Amino acid sequence: MNSKKKRTLANPNPRNPMQAFHFLRSLSRINLSTAPFHKRCRAIRRAAYASMARSASPNRAWSHAVLYQLHRRRRRPVPVQARCKTHQNDALRRLLPGGEAMDTCRLLEETIDYVQRLRTQVKLMQEIVDSVKDDAVHEEKRQKEEN
Amino acid sequence: MSSRRSRSSRQAASSSRITEQQVRELVSKLQTLLPGQPPLNNDNDTASTSRVLREACNYIRSLHKEVDNLSERLSELLQNTDNDTELEAVLRRLLM
């Protein structure tokens, strides 16, 4: 039926297709046509972080922190005693969701996992954007040929 | 791994030595993830560790911005196209 050459999307993280699955499922649930631009944009962004968190291993503190933040729309307050006092890691602690109450070792492990997931998410979204753009271009060409 | 790891780095000297070694391993692993890093200089541990941490922070911030950008572009693209068929095609291609 379709004679145009379709670009096959490579899964950016073949070891974990669940991340792609979660994201695409959330994406398909967002009501794309009716919501205003900013609402839709925010919903896509939330879907991105949610799919990252849901496909992470359950022992990852950052995934719980992300899901909590998405649900409650605020950071989970950390009890003062649990907060650590290293200066070197402070910036990283603030960036990593749930990073305030971890020791250095744990912080580094979580960071590694978080960075891997983030990269995969970015690649995934880039692939989707490219593929939708390709489709739009092909569709335009096809319509021009028909006319 | 978790059975060997000490709960806190403020414990006895022997266990903190184990933690130091693990910290070094983790830092080098983190470095492999970051883009465009020169090979880790093993002599100057603290300086290169803080460099890696700084680079990691910058990288995470740039990745966050990328996610925001791509969300906007996706939002635009999906608004303009015939949503259901486009998305369906993308889904089919990715999941098969």
Side-chain angles (χ1 to χ4, degrees), chain A residues 7 9-13 16-24 27 47-48 51-52 55 117-131, chain B residues 70 74 90 94:
Chain A
R7 208 170 76 98
L9 284 167
N11 190 342
N13 188 6
N16 192 355
M18 288 311 289
Q19 194 165 345
F21 171 72
H22 280 296
F23 182 57
L24 289 169
L27 209 53
S51 64
M52 274 172 57
S55 55
R117 297 270 165 196
L118 255 182
R119 285 210 310 196
T120 309
Q121 187 66 35
V122 166
K123 275 188 220 158
L124 177 63
M125 291 171 84
Q126 186 66 55
E127 288 265 7
I128 295 178
V129 165
D130 289 342
S131 129
Chain B
L70 287 170
L74 256 183
V90 172
L94 251 196

PDB file of all heavy atoms in Angstrom, chain A residues 7 9-13 16-24 27 47-48 51-52 55 117-131, chain B residues 70 74 90 94:
ATOM      1  N   ARG A   7      11.589   4.834   7.249  1.00  0.00           N
ATOM      2  CA  ARG A   7      12.823   4.764   8.039  1.00  0.00           C
ATOM      3  C   ARG A   7      12.541   3.893   9.256  1.00  0.00           C
ATOM      4  O   ARG A   7      11.632   4.171  10.007  1.00  0.00           O
ATOM      5  CB  ARG A   7      13.180   6.172   8.476  1.00  0.00           C
ATOM      6  CG  ARG A   7      14.643   6.411   8.703  1.00  0.00           C
ATOM      7  CD  ARG A   7      14.856   7.875   8.892  1.00  0.00           C
ATOM      8  NE  ARG A   7      14.438   8.282  10.220  1.00  0.00           N
ATOM      9  CZ  ARG A   7      15.271   8.439  11.234  1.00  0.00           C
ATOM     10  NH1 ARG A   7      16.534   8.190  11.074  1.00  0.00           N
ATOM     11  NH2 ARG A   7      14.845   8.818  12.410  1.00  0.00           N
ATOM     12  N   LEU A   9      13.031   2.800  12.892  1.00  0.00           N
ATOM     13  CA  LEU A   9      13.589   3.397  14.085  1.00  0.00           C
ATOM     14  C   LEU A   9      14.412   2.365  14.832  1.00  0.00           C
ATOM     15  O   LEU A   9      13.921   1.287  15.140  1.00  0.00           O
ATOM     16  CB  LEU A   9      12.463   3.877  14.995  1.00  0.00           C
ATOM     17  CG  LEU A   9      11.775   5.163  14.569  1.00  0.00           C
ATOM     18  CD1 LEU A   9      10.512   5.333  15.363  1.00  0.00           C
ATOM     19  CD2 LEU A   9      12.687   6.330  14.781  1.00  0.00           C
ATOM     20  N   ALA A  10      15.632   2.709  15.141  1.00  0.00           N
ATOM     21  CA  ALA A  10      16.420   1.815  15.982  1.00  0.00           C
ATOM     22  C   ALA A  10      16.102   2.134  17.426  1.00  0.00           C
ATOM     23  O   ALA A  10      16.083   3.290  17.826  1.00  0.00           O
ATOM     24  CB  ALA A  10      17.895   2.029  15.695  1.00  0.00           C
ATOM     25  N   ASN A  11      15.859   1.141  18.215  1.00  0.00           N
ATOM     26  CA  ASN A  11      15.638   1.360  19.635  1.00  0.00           C
ATOM     27  C   ASN A  11      16.948   1.828  20.259  1.00  0.00           C
ATOM     28  O   ASN A  11      17.939   1.110  20.208  1.00  0.00           O
ATOM     29  CB  ASN A  11      15.182   0.056  20.274  1.00  0.00           C
ATOM     30  CG  ASN A  11      14.698   0.285  21.695  1.00  0.00           C
ATOM     31  OD1 ASN A  11      15.004   1.301  22.299  1.00  0.00           O
ATOM     32  ND2 ASN A  11      13.957  -0.656  22.214  1.00  0.00           N
ATOM     33  N   PRO A  12      16.985   3.030  20.814  1.00  0.00           N
ATOM     34  CA  PRO A  12      18.246   3.552  21.321  1.00  0.00           C
ATOM     35  C   PRO A  12      18.790   2.773  22.508  1.00  0.00           C
ATOM     36  O   PRO A  12      19.951   2.870  22.832  1.00  0.00           O
ATOM     37  CB  PRO A  12      17.913   4.985  21.720  1.00  0.00           C
ATOM     38  CG  PRO A  12      16.447   5.023  21.842  1.00  0.00           C
ATOM     39  CD  PRO A  12      15.909   3.996  20.930  1.00  0.00           C
ATOM     40  N   ASN A  13      17.932   2.004  23.173  1.00  0.00           N
ATOM     41  CA  ASN A  13      18.454   1.214  24.281  1.00  0.00           C
ATOM     42  C   ASN A  13      17.909  -0.196  24.172  1.00  0.00           C
ATOM     43  O   ASN A  13      16.940  -0.534  24.838  1.00  0.00           O
ATOM     44  CB  ASN A  13      18.049   1.852  25.604  1.00  0.00           C
ATOM     45  CG  ASN A  13      18.734   1.175  26.779  1.00  0.00           C
ATOM     46  OD1 ASN A  13      19.584   0.313  26.596  1.00  0.00           O
ATOM     47  ND2 ASN A  13      18.367   1.555  27.969  1.00  0.00           N
ATOM     48  N   ASN A  16      16.722  -2.267  27.048  1.00  0.00           N
ATOM     49  CA  ASN A  16      15.521  -1.955  27.811  1.00  0.00           C
ATOM     50  C   ASN A  16      14.470  -1.306  26.930  1.00  0.00           C
ATOM     51  O   ASN A  16      14.368  -0.086  26.868  1.00  0.00           O
ATOM     52  CB  ASN A  16      15.876  -1.032  28.981  1.00  0.00           C
ATOM     53  CG  ASN A  16      14.727  -0.924  29.965  1.00  0.00           C
ATOM     54  OD1 ASN A  16      13.645  -1.459  29.735  1.00  0.00           O
ATOM     55  ND2 ASN A  16      14.971  -0.251  31.048  1.00  0.00           N
ATOM     56  N   PRO A  17      13.686  -2.132  26.264  1.00  0.00           N
ATOM     57  CA  PRO A  17      12.618  -1.575  25.421  1.00  0.00           C
ATOM     58  C   PRO A  17      11.476  -0.991  26.225  1.00  0.00           C
ATOM     59  O   PRO A  17      10.642  -0.291  25.685  1.00  0.00           O
ATOM     60  CB  PRO A  17      12.148  -2.780  24.601  1.00  0.00           C
ATOM     61  CG  PRO A  17      12.487  -3.957  25.429  1.00  0.00           C
ATOM     62  CD  PRO A  17      13.722  -3.599  26.182  1.00  0.00           C
ATOM     63  N   MET A  18      11.447  -1.266  27.535  1.00  0.00           N
ATOM     64  CA  MET A  18      10.324  -0.802  28.342  1.00  0.00           C
ATOM     65  C   MET A  18      10.253   0.718  28.396  1.00  0.00           C
ATOM     66  O   MET A  18       9.174   1.294  28.465  1.00  0.00           O
ATOM     67  CB  MET A  18      10.420  -1.340  29.773  1.00  0.00           C
ATOM     68  CG  MET A  18      10.121  -2.801  29.885  1.00  0.00           C
ATOM     69  SD  MET A  18       8.606  -3.285  29.052  1.00  0.00           S
ATOM     70  CE  MET A  18       7.393  -2.571  30.124  1.00  0.00           C
ATOM     71  N   GLN A  19      11.408   1.358  28.340  1.00  0.00           N
ATOM     72  CA  GLN A  19      11.397   2.813  28.406  1.00  0.00           C
ATOM     73  C   GLN A  19      10.660   3.387  27.196  1.00  0.00           C
ATOM     74  O   GLN A  19       9.801   4.254  27.318  1.00  0.00           O
ATOM     75  CB  GLN A  19      12.825   3.339  28.447  1.00  0.00           C
ATOM     76  CG  GLN A  19      12.890   4.783  28.839  1.00  0.00           C
ATOM     77  CD  GLN A  19      14.292   5.196  29.228  1.00  0.00           C
ATOM     78  OE1 GLN A  19      15.158   4.378  29.460  1.00  0.00           O
ATOM     79  NE2 GLN A  19      14.513   6.490  29.282  1.00  0.00           N
ATOM     80  N   ALA A  20      10.985   2.843  26.003  1.00  0.00           N
ATOM     81  CA  ALA A  20      10.304   3.294  24.791  1.00  0.00           C
ATOM     82  C   ALA A  20       8.818   2.995  24.884  1.00  0.00           C
ATOM     83  O   ALA A  20       7.970   3.823  24.534  1.00  0.00           O
ATOM     84  CB  ALA A  20      10.918   2.611  23.577  1.00  0.00           C
ATOM     85  N   PHE A  21       8.496   1.797  25.367  1.00  0.00           N
ATOM     86  CA  PHE A  21       7.107   1.388  25.452  1.00  0.00           C
ATOM     87  C   PHE A  21       6.303   2.313  26.345  1.00  0.00           C
ATOM     88  O   PHE A  21       5.229   2.791  25.970  1.00  0.00           O
ATOM     89  CB  PHE A  21       7.045  -0.050  25.973  1.00  0.00           C
ATOM     90  CG  PHE A  21       5.661  -0.507  26.299  1.00  0.00           C
ATOM     91  CD1 PHE A  21       4.759  -0.783  25.293  1.00  0.00           C
ATOM     92  CD2 PHE A  21       5.251  -0.651  27.616  1.00  0.00           C
ATOM     93  CE1 PHE A  21       3.485  -1.196  25.580  1.00  0.00           C
ATOM     94  CE2 PHE A  21       3.971  -1.072  27.919  1.00  0.00           C
ATOM     95  CZ  PHE A  21       3.081  -1.339  26.898  1.00  0.00           C
ATOM     96  N   HIS A  22       6.842   2.588  27.562  1.00  0.00           N
ATOM     97  CA  HIS A  22       6.135   3.470  28.488  1.00  0.00           C
ATOM     98  C   HIS A  22       5.907   4.846  27.884  1.00  0.00           C
ATOM     99  O   HIS A  22       4.829   5.417  27.978  1.00  0.00           O
ATOM    100  CB  HIS A  22       6.927   3.628  29.788  1.00  0.00           C
ATOM    101  CG  HIS A  22       6.751   2.487  30.733  1.00  0.00           C
ATOM    102  ND1 HIS A  22       5.542   2.172  31.307  1.00  0.00           N
ATOM    103  CD2 HIS A  22       7.629   1.592  31.215  1.00  0.00           C
ATOM    104  CE1 HIS A  22       5.695   1.111  32.093  1.00  0.00           C
ATOM    105  NE2 HIS A  22       6.938   0.748  32.052  1.00  0.00           N
ATOM    106  N   PHE A  23       6.977   5.370  27.245  1.00  0.00           N
ATOM    107  CA  PHE A  23       6.875   6.725  26.726  1.00  0.00           C
ATOM    108  C   PHE A  23       5.838   6.799  25.617  1.00  0.00           C
ATOM    109  O   PHE A  23       5.002   7.702  25.578  1.00  0.00           O
ATOM    110  CB  PHE A  23       8.238   7.199  26.224  1.00  0.00           C
ATOM    111  CG  PHE A  23       8.221   8.609  25.729  1.00  0.00           C
ATOM    112  CD1 PHE A  23       7.809   9.632  26.553  1.00  0.00           C
ATOM    113  CD2 PHE A  23       8.597   8.905  24.438  1.00  0.00           C
ATOM    114  CE1 PHE A  23       7.784  10.934  26.108  1.00  0.00           C
ATOM    115  CE2 PHE A  23       8.577  10.209  23.989  1.00  0.00           C
ATOM    116  CZ  PHE A  23       8.164  11.222  24.824  1.00  0.00           C
ATOM    117  N   LEU A  24       5.895   5.841  24.693  1.00  0.00           N
ATOM    118  CA  LEU A  24       4.969   5.884  23.573  1.00  0.00           C
ATOM    119  C   LEU A  24       3.533   5.694  24.026  1.00  0.00           C
ATOM    120  O   LEU A  24       2.606   6.307  23.492  1.00  0.00           O
ATOM    121  CB  LEU A  24       5.347   4.828  22.547  1.00  0.00           C
ATOM    122  CG  LEU A  24       6.631   5.175  21.817  1.00  0.00           C
ATOM    123  CD1 LEU A  24       7.104   4.000  21.010  1.00  0.00           C
ATOM    124  CD2 LEU A  24       6.432   6.375  20.915  1.00  0.00           C
ATOM    125  N   LEU A  27       2.448   8.866  25.481  1.00  0.00           N
ATOM    126  CA  LEU A  27       2.290   9.828  24.392  1.00  0.00           C
ATOM    127  C   LEU A  27       0.958   9.620  23.680  1.00  0.00           C
ATOM    128  O   LEU A  27       0.252  10.577  23.353  1.00  0.00           O
ATOM    129  CB  LEU A  27       3.440   9.633  23.408  1.00  0.00           C
ATOM    130  CG  LEU A  27       3.909  10.839  22.601  1.00  0.00           C
ATOM    131  CD1 LEU A  27       4.225  11.986  23.530  1.00  0.00           C
ATOM    132  CD2 LEU A  27       5.150  10.456  21.836  1.00  0.00           C
ATOM    133  N   ALA A  47       5.503  12.951  30.705  1.00  0.00           N
ATOM    134  CA  ALA A  47       5.507  11.564  30.226  1.00  0.00           C
ATOM    135  C   ALA A  47       6.939  11.072  30.055  1.00  0.00           C
ATOM    136  O   ALA A  47       7.245   9.906  30.318  1.00  0.00           O
ATOM    137  CB  ALA A  47       4.751  11.468  28.913  1.00  0.00           C
ATOM    138  N   ALA A  48       7.816  11.960  29.594  1.00  0.00           N
ATOM    139  CA  ALA A  48       9.216  11.566  29.401  1.00  0.00           C
ATOM    140  C   ALA A  48       9.835  11.137  30.724  1.00  0.00           C
ATOM    141  O   ALA A  48      10.429  10.058  30.834  1.00  0.00           O
ATOM    142  CB  ALA A  48      10.003  12.727  28.795  1.00  0.00           C
ATOM    143  N   SER A  51       8.276   7.909  32.137  1.00  0.00           N
ATOM    144  CA  SER A  51       8.690   6.661  31.502  1.00  0.00           C
ATOM    145  C   SER A  51      10.108   6.296  31.905  1.00  0.00           C
ATOM    146  O   SER A  51      10.445   5.123  32.053  1.00  0.00           O
ATOM    147  CB  SER A  51       8.567   6.750  29.990  1.00  0.00           C
ATOM    148  OG  SER A  51       9.432   7.720  29.490  1.00  0.00           O
ATOM    149  N   MET A  52      10.958   7.310  32.123  1.00  0.00           N
ATOM    150  CA  MET A  52      12.306   7.040  32.627  1.00  0.00           C
ATOM    151  C   MET A  52      12.219   6.365  33.984  1.00  0.00           C
ATOM    152  O   MET A  52      12.862   5.365  34.261  1.00  0.00           O
ATOM    153  CB  MET A  52      13.076   8.349  32.821  1.00  0.00           C
ATOM    154  CG  MET A  52      13.776   8.863  31.624  1.00  0.00           C
ATOM    155  SD  MET A  52      14.437  10.489  31.941  1.00  0.00           S
ATOM    156  CE  MET A  52      15.477  10.180  33.346  1.00  0.00           C
ATOM    157  N   SER A  55      10.654   2.716  34.094  1.00  0.00           N
ATOM    158  CA  SER A  55      11.437   1.602  33.555  1.00  0.00           C
ATOM    159  C   SER A  55      12.738   1.380  34.312  1.00  0.00           C
ATOM    160  O   SER A  55      13.497   0.480  33.991  1.00  0.00           O
ATOM    161  CB  SER A  55      11.728   1.849  32.082  1.00  0.00           C
ATOM    162  OG  SER A  55      12.355   3.096  31.926  1.00  0.00           O
ATOM    163  N   ARG A 117      19.687   6.741  31.783  1.00  0.00           N
ATOM    164  CA  ARG A 117      18.274   6.833  31.418  1.00  0.00           C
ATOM    165  C   ARG A 117      17.955   8.114  30.687  1.00  0.00           C
ATOM    166  O   ARG A 117      17.175   8.129  29.732  1.00  0.00           O
ATOM    167  CB  ARG A 117      17.398   6.771  32.658  1.00  0.00           C
ATOM    168  CG  ARG A 117      17.509   5.498  33.384  1.00  0.00           C
ATOM    169  CD  ARG A 117      16.510   4.506  32.897  1.00  0.00           C
ATOM    170  NE  ARG A 117      16.868   3.191  33.371  1.00  0.00           N
ATOM    171  CZ  ARG A 117      16.379   2.081  32.886  1.00  0.00           C
ATOM    172  NH1 ARG A 117      15.501   2.135  31.928  1.00  0.00           N
ATOM    173  NH2 ARG A 117      16.764   0.936  33.368  1.00  0.00           N
ATOM    174  N   LEU A 118      18.537   9.206  31.170  1.00  0.00           N
ATOM    175  CA  LEU A 118      18.298  10.501  30.535  1.00  0.00           C
ATOM    176  C   LEU A 118      18.766  10.478  29.090  1.00  0.00           C
ATOM    177  O   LEU A 118      18.065  10.932  28.188  1.00  0.00           O
ATOM    178  CB  LEU A 118      19.066  11.593  31.282  1.00  0.00           C
ATOM    179  CG  LEU A 118      18.274  12.532  32.174  1.00  0.00           C
ATOM    180  CD1 LEU A 118      19.202  13.568  32.769  1.00  0.00           C
ATOM    181  CD2 LEU A 118      17.166  13.211  31.428  1.00  0.00           C
ATOM    182  N   ARG A 119      19.965   9.929  28.876  1.00  0.00           N
ATOM    183  CA  ARG A 119      20.499   9.867  27.514  1.00  0.00           C
ATOM    184  C   ARG A 119      19.581   9.061  26.611  1.00  0.00           C
ATOM    185  O   ARG A 119      19.302   9.441  25.485  1.00  0.00           O
ATOM    186  CB  ARG A 119      21.884   9.229  27.516  1.00  0.00           C
ATOM    187  CG  ARG A 119      22.949  10.107  28.018  1.00  0.00           C
ATOM    188  CD  ARG A 119      24.255   9.808  27.403  1.00  0.00           C
ATOM    189  NE  ARG A 119      24.607   8.414  27.454  1.00  0.00           N
ATOM    190  CZ  ARG A 119      25.827   7.981  27.241  1.00  0.00           C
ATOM    191  NH1 ARG A 119      26.783   8.844  26.978  1.00  0.00           N
ATOM    192  NH2 ARG A 119      26.090   6.703  27.291  1.00  0.00           N
ATOM    193  N   THR A 120      19.145   7.901  27.130  1.00  0.00           N
ATOM    194  CA  THR A 120      18.241   7.063  26.343  1.00  0.00           C
ATOM    195  C   THR A 120      16.974   7.822  26.009  1.00  0.00           C
ATOM    196  O   THR A 120      16.487   7.757  24.871  1.00  0.00           O
ATOM    197  CB  THR A 120      17.877   5.799  27.132  1.00  0.00           C
ATOM    198  OG1 THR A 120      19.049   5.186  27.602  1.00  0.00           O
ATOM    199  CG2 THR A 120      17.103   4.845  26.267  1.00  0.00           C
ATOM    200  N   GLN A 121      16.444   8.542  26.992  1.00  0.00           N
ATOM    201  CA  GLN A 121      15.209   9.280  26.763  1.00  0.00           C
ATOM    202  C   GLN A 121      15.399  10.323  25.677  1.00  0.00           C
ATOM    203  O   GLN A 121      14.559  10.465  24.785  1.00  0.00           O
ATOM    204  CB  GLN A 121      14.758   9.943  28.066  1.00  0.00           C
ATOM    205  CG  GLN A 121      13.414  10.589  28.001  1.00  0.00           C
ATOM    206  CD  GLN A 121      12.308   9.573  27.807  1.00  0.00           C
ATOM    207  OE1 GLN A 121      12.365   8.463  28.317  1.00  0.00           O
ATOM    208  NE2 GLN A 121      11.307   9.926  27.038  1.00  0.00           N
ATOM    209  N   VAL A 122      16.524  11.027  25.724  1.00  0.00           N
ATOM    210  CA  VAL A 122      16.786  12.059  24.723  1.00  0.00           C
ATOM    211  C   VAL A 122      16.890  11.435  23.334  1.00  0.00           C
ATOM    212  O   VAL A 122      16.303  11.927  22.370  1.00  0.00           O
ATOM    213  CB  VAL A 122      18.066  12.848  25.077  1.00  0.00           C
ATOM    214  CG1 VAL A 122      18.531  13.668  23.903  1.00  0.00           C
ATOM    215  CG2 VAL A 122      17.819  13.752  26.261  1.00  0.00           C
ATOM    216  N   LYS A 123      17.622  10.317  23.248  1.00  0.00           N
ATOM    217  CA  LYS A 123      17.752   9.645  21.943  1.00  0.00           C
ATOM    218  C   LYS A 123      16.398   9.208  21.428  1.00  0.00           C
ATOM    219  O   LYS A 123      16.079   9.351  20.251  1.00  0.00           O
ATOM    220  CB  LYS A 123      18.669   8.421  22.066  1.00  0.00           C
ATOM    221  CG  LYS A 123      20.122   8.745  21.928  1.00  0.00           C
ATOM    222  CD  LYS A 123      20.953   7.470  21.871  1.00  0.00           C
ATOM    223  CE  LYS A 123      22.223   7.646  22.684  1.00  0.00           C
ATOM    224  NZ  LYS A 123      22.807   6.379  23.104  1.00  0.00           N
ATOM    225  N   LEU A 124      15.592   8.661  22.353  1.00  0.00           N
ATOM    226  CA  LEU A 124      14.275   8.174  21.981  1.00  0.00           C
ATOM    227  C   LEU A 124      13.416   9.292  21.413  1.00  0.00           C
ATOM    228  O   LEU A 124      12.811   9.167  20.344  1.00  0.00           O
ATOM    229  CB  LEU A 124      13.614   7.569  23.224  1.00  0.00           C
ATOM    230  CG  LEU A 124      12.207   7.039  23.123  1.00  0.00           C
ATOM    231  CD1 LEU A 124      12.167   5.898  22.149  1.00  0.00           C
ATOM    232  CD2 LEU A 124      11.771   6.551  24.484  1.00  0.00           C
ATOM    233  N   MET A 125      13.402  10.429  22.130  1.00  0.00           N
ATOM    234  CA  MET A 125      12.566  11.525  21.684  1.00  0.00           C
ATOM    235  C   MET A 125      13.071  12.086  20.360  1.00  0.00           C
ATOM    236  O   MET A 125      12.285  12.466  19.496  1.00  0.00           O
ATOM    237  CB  MET A 125      12.525  12.617  22.758  1.00  0.00           C
ATOM    238  CG  MET A 125      11.762  12.175  23.982  1.00  0.00           C
ATOM    239  SD  MET A 125      11.905  13.297  25.362  1.00  0.00           S
ATOM    240  CE  MET A 125      10.654  14.467  24.940  1.00  0.00           C
ATOM    241  N   GLN A 126      14.396  12.121  20.206  1.00  0.00           N
ATOM    242  CA  GLN A 126      14.958  12.615  18.951  1.00  0.00           C
ATOM    243  C   GLN A 126      14.543  11.724  17.789  1.00  0.00           C
ATOM    244  O   GLN A 126      14.180  12.211  16.717  1.00  0.00           O
ATOM    245  CB  GLN A 126      16.491  12.646  19.068  1.00  0.00           C
ATOM    246  CG  GLN A 126      17.191  13.276  17.894  1.00  0.00           C
ATOM    247  CD  GLN A 126      16.886  14.741  17.777  1.00  0.00           C
ATOM    248  OE1 GLN A 126      17.084  15.506  18.707  1.00  0.00           O
ATOM    249  NE2 GLN A 126      16.364  15.146  16.642  1.00  0.00           N
ATOM    250  N   GLU A 127      14.572  10.411  18.015  1.00  0.00           N
ATOM    251  CA  GLU A 127      14.150   9.469  16.977  1.00  0.00           C
ATOM    252  C   GLU A 127      12.703   9.704  16.580  1.00  0.00           C
ATOM    253  O   GLU A 127      12.349   9.690  15.405  1.00  0.00           O
ATOM    254  CB  GLU A 127      14.294   8.028  17.495  1.00  0.00           C
ATOM    255  CG  GLU A 127      15.711   7.555  17.622  1.00  0.00           C
ATOM    256  CD  GLU A 127      16.170   6.785  16.401  1.00  0.00           C
ATOM    257  OE1 GLU A 127      15.428   6.739  15.397  1.00  0.00           O
ATOM    258  OE2 GLU A 127      17.280   6.235  16.457  1.00  0.00           O
ATOM    259  N   ILE A 128      11.859   9.919  17.598  1.00  0.00           N
ATOM    260  CA  ILE A 128      10.436  10.105  17.309  1.00  0.00           C
ATOM    261  C   ILE A 128      10.234  11.379  16.518  1.00  0.00           C
ATOM    262  O   ILE A 128       9.504  11.407  15.515  1.00  0.00           O
ATOM    263  CB  ILE A 128       9.606  10.138  18.607  1.00  0.00           C
ATOM    264  CG1 ILE A 128       9.689   8.785  19.298  1.00  0.00           C
ATOM    265  CG2 ILE A 128       8.165  10.491  18.308  1.00  0.00           C
ATOM    266  CD1 ILE A 128       8.951   8.728  20.602  1.00  0.00           C
ATOM    267  N   VAL A 129      10.912  12.453  16.946  1.00  0.00           N
ATOM    268  CA  VAL A 129      10.785  13.722  16.236  1.00  0.00           C
ATOM    269  C   VAL A 129      11.226  13.562  14.785  1.00  0.00           C
ATOM    270  O   VAL A 129      10.535  13.988  13.859  1.00  0.00           O
ATOM    271  CB  VAL A 129      11.624  14.807  16.945  1.00  0.00           C
ATOM    272  CG1 VAL A 129      11.821  16.007  16.054  1.00  0.00           C
ATOM    273  CG2 VAL A 129      10.966  15.241  18.230  1.00  0.00           C
ATOM    274  N   ASP A 130      12.386  12.919  14.587  1.00  0.00           N
ATOM    275  CA  ASP A 130      12.883  12.731  13.224  1.00  0.00           C
ATOM    276  C   ASP A 130      11.912  11.932  12.379  1.00  0.00           C
ATOM    277  O   ASP A 130      11.664  12.242  11.222  1.00  0.00           O
ATOM    278  CB  ASP A 130      14.238  12.012  13.257  1.00  0.00           C
ATOM    279  CG  ASP A 130      15.333  12.907  13.783  1.00  0.00           C
ATOM    280  OD1 ASP A 130      15.131  14.134  13.785  1.00  0.00           O
ATOM    281  OD2 ASP A 130      16.381  12.374  14.198  1.00  0.00           O
ATOM    282  N   SER A 131      11.365  10.874  12.997  1.00  0.00           N
ATOM    283  CA  SER A 131      10.486  10.009  12.213  1.00  0.00           C
ATOM    284  C   SER A 131       9.188  10.718  11.868  1.00  0.00           C
ATOM    285  O   SER A 131       8.675  10.568  10.759  1.00  0.00           O
ATOM    286  CB  SER A 131      10.256   8.726  12.991  1.00  0.00           C
ATOM    287  OG  SER A 131       8.909   8.452  13.073  1.00  0.00           O
TER     288      SER A 131
ATOM    289  N   LEU B  70      12.951  18.936  23.161  1.00  0.00           N
ATOM    290  CA  LEU B  70      12.324  17.883  22.362  1.00  0.00           C
ATOM    291  C   LEU B  70      10.841  17.772  22.684  1.00  0.00           C
ATOM    292  O   LEU B  70      10.042  17.476  21.795  1.00  0.00           O
ATOM    293  CB  LEU B  70      13.031  16.553  22.591  1.00  0.00           C
ATOM    294  CG  LEU B  70      14.413  16.473  21.937  1.00  0.00           C
ATOM    295  CD1 LEU B  70      15.150  15.246  22.413  1.00  0.00           C
ATOM    296  CD2 LEU B  70      14.272  16.429  20.433  1.00  0.00           C
ATOM    297  N   LEU B  74       8.147  18.020  19.764  1.00  0.00           N
ATOM    298  CA  LEU B  74       7.166  16.960  19.619  1.00  0.00           C
ATOM    299  C   LEU B  74       5.762  17.539  19.677  1.00  0.00           C
ATOM    300  O   LEU B  74       4.889  17.170  18.896  1.00  0.00           O
ATOM    301  CB  LEU B  74       7.315  15.932  20.734  1.00  0.00           C
ATOM    302  CG  LEU B  74       7.973  14.611  20.370  1.00  0.00           C
ATOM    303  CD1 LEU B  74       7.968  13.695  21.561  1.00  0.00           C
ATOM    304  CD2 LEU B  74       7.239  13.949  19.227  1.00  0.00           C
ATOM    305  N   VAL B  90       4.289   5.581  13.923  1.00  0.00           N
ATOM    306  CA  VAL B  90       5.506   5.611  14.727  1.00  0.00           C
ATOM    307  C   VAL B  90       5.514   4.471  15.729  1.00  0.00           C
ATOM    308  O   VAL B  90       6.512   3.768  15.907  1.00  0.00           O
ATOM    309  CB  VAL B  90       5.626   6.968  15.455  1.00  0.00           C
ATOM    310  CG1 VAL B  90       6.762   6.938  16.441  1.00  0.00           C
ATOM    311  CG2 VAL B  90       5.833   8.086  14.460  1.00  0.00           C
ATOM    312  N   LEU B  94       8.244   1.383  16.052  1.00  0.00           N
ATOM    313  CA  LEU B  94       9.134   1.211  17.192  1.00  0.00           C
ATOM    314  C   LEU B  94       8.907  -0.090  17.924  1.00  0.00           C
ATOM    315  O   LEU B  94       9.824  -0.660  18.493  1.00  0.00           O
ATOM    316  CB  LEU B  94       8.946   2.360  18.189  1.00  0.00           C
ATOM    317  CG  LEU B  94      10.074   3.367  18.296  1.00  0.00           C
ATOM    318  CD1 LEU B  94       9.891   4.172  19.558  1.00  0.00           C
ATOM    319  CD2 LEU B  94      11.428   2.697  18.345  1.00  0.00           C
TER     320      LEU B  94
END
